[in-house]
Amino acid sequence: MNRRKLPKGDILFFLGLLILFFLWGVAPGALFVVTSALALGYLHFVSREDVPLHFAVGLLISFGYLCIFRNVYSYGRFDVKLLSFPLFPLFAWPTAFCLLHYLTKRVAESVGVVSAGGRVLLGYLLYVPCLLFVEYVGYHVAGIHLESAYPSLGFLDCMHIPAPLKAVYFGNGLLFLLIVFGILDERHIMPVSKAARSTENAHSPERNE
């Protein structure tokens, strides 16, 4: 089983995004655009991720749940909407999902997880604490507040949204992981892997004896 260490470039990349996120309180709208552009640019041009595909999947998920819950979103500082759809969650989810896919893939390579099911599970174990961290920092540091009086998520004092929407937040990540690792990555990666294994077997000493 081949294992790879997390590249230093990736570590610096995620640290840089984290620093930018903590600065969102200065100008959340502008810094969101900057952070998203840097994140997607790095994933697409440097890491050669299939950003358009993963972003499209994330956009479908965010659009789908916003069709039901879009009236919940009314931000005090940067409430930008298009046809009643709040643009911040509409584009924040797919951007986060692109990062989640890349992080999961890298961690899976470093710990030797190769199966689709294993990567879905690993991805969700990464997703839940990341979701809570982003929600907490976004509320208490970046000042991203909804103009509502919904109760928070337990003692964390974040995620002030209706209970059904809280469940959607935790389900969104699982749905994305099931689609990309269970369907898309299986179609694009597994046939190549099988072909590579066949080539290796054909050139192995045992086969040539």
Side-chain angles (χ1 to χ4, degrees), residues 98-165:
C98 289
L99 290 169
L100 174 65
H101 176 269
Y102 185 66
L103 177 63
T104 302
K105 188 175 72 171
R106 287 302 197 189
V107 173
E109 290 172 352
S110 67
V111 299
V113 177
V114 296
S115 68
R119 293 195 171 197
V120 170
L121 178 58
L122 175 63
Y124 197 68
L125 291 176
L126 293 170
Y127 170 73
V128 171
C130 285
L131 172 65
L132 297 177
F133 174 80
V134 168
E135 287 291 326
Y136 185 87
V137 174
Y139 186 81
H140 291 279
V141 179
I144 302 175
H145 299 164
L146 289 175
E147 295 180 338
S148 64
Y150 293 106
S152 66
L153 184 66
F155 64 91
L156 291 178
D157 190 24
C158 65
M159 209 179 290
H160 297 80
I161 51 179
L165 189 51

Side-chain angles (χ1 to χ4, degrees), residues 21-157:
F21 183 44
F22 273 94
L23 294 175
W24 277 20
V26 178
L31 284 174
F32 165 68
V33 173
V34 172
T35 306
S36 299
L38 289 175
L40 298 176
Y42 178 88
L43 294 178
H44 185 69
F45 295 107
V46 178
S47 298
R48 302 299 181 183
E49 284 285 287
D50 194 349
V51 169
L53 177 62
H54 299 150
F55 192 90
V57 172
L59 191 61
L60 286 174
I61 293 174
S62 62
F63 178 79
Y65 94 84
L66 285 173
C67 285
I68 302 173
F69 293 103
R70 63 182 179 273
N71 292 330
V72 173
Y73 292 91
S74 180
Y75 296 99
R77 300 185 64 185
F78 61 116
D79 195 26
V80 182
K81 294 184 179 181
L82 178 64
L83 301 177
S84 78
F85 280 86
L87 297 185
F88 174 62
L90 182 65
F91 292 108
W93 281 100
T95 301
F97 284 150
C98 289
L99 290 169
L100 174 65
H101 176 269
Y102 185 66
L103 177 63
T104 302
K105 188 175 72 171
R106 287 302 197 189
V107 173
E109 290 172 352
S110 67
V111 299
V113 177
V114 296
S115 68
R119 293 195 171 197
V120 170
L121 178 58
L122 175 63
Y124 197 68
L125 291 176
L126 293 170
Y127 170 73
V128 171
C130 285
L131 172 65
L132 297 177
F133 174 80
V134 168
E135 287 291 326
Y136 185 87
V137 174
Y139 186 81
H140 291 279
V141 179
I144 302 175
H145 299 164
L146 289 175
E147 295 180 338
S148 64
Y150 293 106
S152 66
L153 184 66
F155 64 91
L156 291 178
D157 190 24

